[in-house]
Amino acid sequence: MRESAAERHDRLLDLVRGRGSARVSELAAQLGVSPVTVRRDVESLATEGRLDRVHGSVSWPGGGTTAPGPAGALAAPRPGVKPGTHPGPGPTGDTAADGRELVIGMLAPHATYYFAEVIRGAHEAAAAAGARLILRISDYRPQEDAGLAAGLLTAGADGLLIAPGWKEPDDPVEHGAWIAGLPVPTVLLERRGVPGRELDDLDRVCSDHGHGVLLAVRHLLGLGHRTPVLVARSDSPTAIAVRAGYRHALDALGLKSPLPVIDSIPVEADADGFEGAVRALRDAVVEGRATAALVHNDVDAIRIVQRLAELGVRVPDDLALVAYDDEVAALADTPLTAVAPPKHEVGRYAADLLVERLRAAANGHGDGEQTPRRHVDLLPRLRVRASCGAPAETTRQP
């Protein structure tokens, strides 16, 4: 079977991780492909921040031969900076204490779909503060987060915005402790630590997905529907939060779900699993057990609506549907009502909070210890369109 590009990338990363650095020609020989292919792969991986590239050679981010371990194994502060402190911006926020341009490092799991807008918000806030934002992408590989963060520090980051590449419920414990040991001010965004553990003491800015689910459920109930069915993924922190929010919303409203949560599976990952989810929802509608559904995420919702139509179930005539994410929901044949997390504002608030911490550090207040740490929850909005059968409007939350 022909090796995929992702598999080749994994082999390439393993080679560089083990050796620390390598020339393109050496990697081509080891991988059994042409130098042109390796250069193309290196370009892609370097853009994502997973490799450093210099004059025909590539190296592991941070310059070490292995990925950094937890806490203090990350890159040390630059010369002249005491351990445990870091140069911050001047009073105007546009330069570090030593006169350099302020640099904010950002680690995100992806640069498209949901996180594109988060990154854009952080970039705009950094620019408004006279700072430069540098970005690395983990591609949802939490085991590589620490190495990418080390690369950001080596590249000169004065503070970090961290959205780890967590996917599983246990990832914050298994792949998160190192974040608490970072030597610079750090803000988590769209991620929450486990209550009572190290990361719960960090600044964070998140969308309140539980509130977003509650908006959708209340809206559908207000249109006269019975308790909506949840169709959701389970492969990201947002998906896990949507599932938890659904349980809390039903408890708060004194409701019971008409059937268990239907597991949404991307059709490209498991065509049979996707078909099973669609048919479970179709059966619930035909049997009169469901008149409304909340679907995470937009892409799955659009595909589900298309397949339901082929199976004789029409949206919104037979089923009112609300999508979660509002990335592409408005572009469906029948524009989808959607919960819109405040992604842009999450990035902006997080960058503003980090700049505030860096200013405090520059003014001799450590990393901002004079000001309490903050957990900021921003409320999603419900954007009403044709898929729920209600007049189109935008419901704004304060």
Side-chain angles (χ1 to χ4, degrees), residues 82-257:
K82 286 184 179 179
T85 66
H86 201 270
T92 62
D94 56 359
T95 60
D98 57 5
R100 296 175 296 100
E101 177 186 36
L102 179 65
V103 178
I104 292 175
M106 184 174 185
L107 173 62
H110 215 273
T112 60
Y113 195 71
Y114 191 104
F115 271 92
E117 196 62 27
V118 178
I119 293 167
R120 188 174 296 112
H123 180 250
E124 290 177 5
R132 183 166 67 97
L133 184 76
I134 57 176
L135 175 69
R136 297 208 172 193
I137 305 297
S138 71
D139 198 23
Y140 287 98
R141 298 172 188 249
Q143 67 274 16
E144 296 183 6
D145 284 340
L148 296 174
L152 288 168
L153 294 177
T154 300
D158 299 283
L160 295 176
L161 302 173
I162 301 287
W166 300 335
K167 297 181 70 175
E168 304 295 334
D170 293 336
D171 281 348
V173 174
E174 294 183 8
H175 301 290
W178 62 272
I179 300 172
L182 286 164
V184 297
T186 301
V187 177
L188 284 176
L189 66 171
E190 291 292 35
R191 298 292 186 263
R192 301 170 188 269
V194 176
R197 298 184 70 98
E198 305 93 336
L199 299 190
D200 202 34
D201 294 329
L202 290 180
D203 289 315
R204 72 172 184 238
V205 180
C206 299
S207 298
D208 187 342
H209 296 302
H211 183 78
V213 172
L214 184 61
L215 286 177
V217 172
R218 285 195 311 209
H219 179 71
L220 291 167
L221 293 174
L223 295 175
H225 293 282
R226 61 187 62 179
T227 306
V229 175
L230 177 64
V231 183
R233 293 190 181 191
S234 58
D235 59 354
S236 72
T238 300
I240 294 168
V242 167
R243 286 172 172 257
Y246 181 69
R247 294 192 300 270
H248 295 156
L250 298 194
D251 288 344
L253 297 172
L255 303 171
K256 290 186 178 180
S257 176

Side-chain angles (χ1 to χ4, degrees), residues 236-298:
S236 72
T238 300
I240 294 168
V242 167
R243 286 172 172 257
Y246 181 69
R247 294 192 300 270
H248 295 156
L250 298 194
D251 288 344
L253 297 172
L255 303 171
K256 290 186 178 180
S257 176
L259 66 157
V261 174
I262 297 174
D263 294 325
S264 175
I265 302 173
V267 65
E268 65 272 14
D270 183 352
D272 291 339
F274 172 81
E275 182 68 13
V278 174
R279 288 184 177 272
L281 181 56
R282 189 278 309 265
D283 292 347
V285 175
V286 171
E287 295 165 8
R289 291 181 290 142
T291 63
L294 170 64
V295 180
H296 175 270
N297 56 33
D298 286 8

Side-chain angles (χ1 to χ4, degrees), residues 47-59:
T47 299
E48 295 175 3
R50 298 164 68 186
L51 289 177
D52 287 336
R53 179 183 38 142
V54 181
H55 303 308
S57 296
V58 293
S59 61

